[in-house]
Amino acid sequence: MKKYQVFIFFGVVMLALGGLFLFGQVNKDRPLDTEQLKALGFASLPAPRVLEGIDLLTQSGEVFDGSQLTGKWTYAFFGYTNCPDICPVTMRILGRAVDRFQDTLTAEEFALFQGMFVSVDPTRDGVEEVGEFVATYSESFLGVTGSEATIKDFADQVGIGYERIPSTSELQYLVEHQGYLVVFNPRGECIGYIKEPFDTVQLTKLFQHLIKHG
């Protein structure tokens, strides 16, 4: 091959590689479509739900009125600390997702995330129990509890159902509840749900989409 042909060949190769890089960057910044979001388990609401009259407590005993949701994208799980299966599994995955966020995202992007646990069993889950539970999975997680009435009102507003299963024991019982992650936008509005099964890659991809296009 003659010298000028070699230069042309390598020039074509470099242009092709540059084109592939630019194509990848464009696609990387392109918002996910409905089917891609569905594949990540995300189901968006037709319109964001604005919260009203929230009067709960954080794991530190401070009032939770919904303002703690502003300025961040929040993944929230409604469960209970005595749950034998889905709650610890989900919170463990969410904790691992936080580790992946730190490795994958910039510091500015990571600062936009908040993980939250809301107890649907306030009879047994006071601020201390909720605090110990969330700290098991991440020191950064926000834990929330309250009275039977205020928890029920909060859950109803975001479309999460739960029910205590009848038991002969006053303190040994199960609570049937939905296993979704509830997603709140930085305005503190509920915008949708992430359905099971969860994994850290899925949760990361969705979060990257939300902070850029949500």
Side-chain angles (χ1 to χ4, degrees):
M1 184 181 292
K2 296 181 179 179
K3 183 180 292 186
Y4 75 88
Q5 291 177 315
V6 172
F7 286 137
I8 292 174
F9 172 77
F10 280 107
V12 170
V13 170
M14 293 304 293
L15 284 172
L17 291 174
L20 287 172
F21 175 77
L22 290 174
F23 179 77
Q25 288 298 107
V26 169
N27 279 287
K28 181 180 178 181
D29 294 331
R30 182 177 297 170
L32 301 176
D33 60 32
T34 303
E35 288 303 312
Q36 289 172 317
L37 290 171
K38 184 178 179 181
L40 293 177
F42 182 65
S44 62
L45 291 169
R49 291 181 181 174
V50 179
L51 306 180
E52 297 179 347
I54 305 302
D55 184 18
L56 302 169
L57 294 173
T58 70
Q59 73 263 45
S60 58
E62 298 175 350
V63 173
F64 177 87
D65 59 6
S67 62
Q68 294 86 344
L69 298 171
T70 58
K72 295 178 181 290
W73 288 94
T74 302
Y75 287 177
F77 185 71
F78 286 65
Y80 64 113
T81 65
N82 286 282
C83 179
D85 39 47
I86 187 174
C87 298
V89 170
T90 300
M91 293 300 293
R92 190 174 300 115
I93 293 172
L94 195 55
R96 290 173 180 168
V98 170
D99 294 335
R100 184 177 178 84
F101 288 177
Q102 288 181 303
D103 294 337
T104 306
L105 307 175
T106 66
E108 291 77 15
E109 290 172 334
F110 178 69
L112 296 174
F113 176 77
Q114 178 171 244
M116 183 169 78
F117 171 79
V118 182
S119 174
V120 295
D121 182 22
T123 298
R124 293 180 294 185
D125 291 345
V127 294
E128 183 177 345
E129 288 79 13
V130 168
E132 291 177 355
F133 184 74
V134 295
T136 302
Y137 305 102
S138 175
E139 292 291 341
S140 68
F141 283 166
L142 178 64
V144 176
T145 187
S147 68
E148 294 278 358
T150 56
I151 288 291
K152 181 67 165 56
D153 176 67
F154 186 34
D156 285 346
Q157 288 195 52
V158 299
I160 291 293
Y162 64 93
E163 183 179 11
R164 176 171 166 172
I165 299 175
S167 171
T168 56
S169 173
E170 186 67 26
L171 293 176
Q172 293 182 345
Y173 54 85
L174 298 175
V175 180
E176 186 175 341
H177 61 91
Q178 290 174 303
Y180 304 153
L181 288 174
V182 182
V183 181
F184 296 91
N185 65 21
R187 293 185 296 277
E189 302 165 334
C190 174
I191 64 163
Y193 313 96
I194 308 173
K195 299 181 179 180
E196 306 171 74
F198 310 114
D199 67 68
T200 59
V201 174
Q202 161 212 21
L203 297 176
T204 304
K205 286 182 178 179
L206 177 60
F207 183 64
Q208 289 173 315
H209 166 83
L210 291 173
I211 60 179
K212 291 181 179 180
H213 309 289

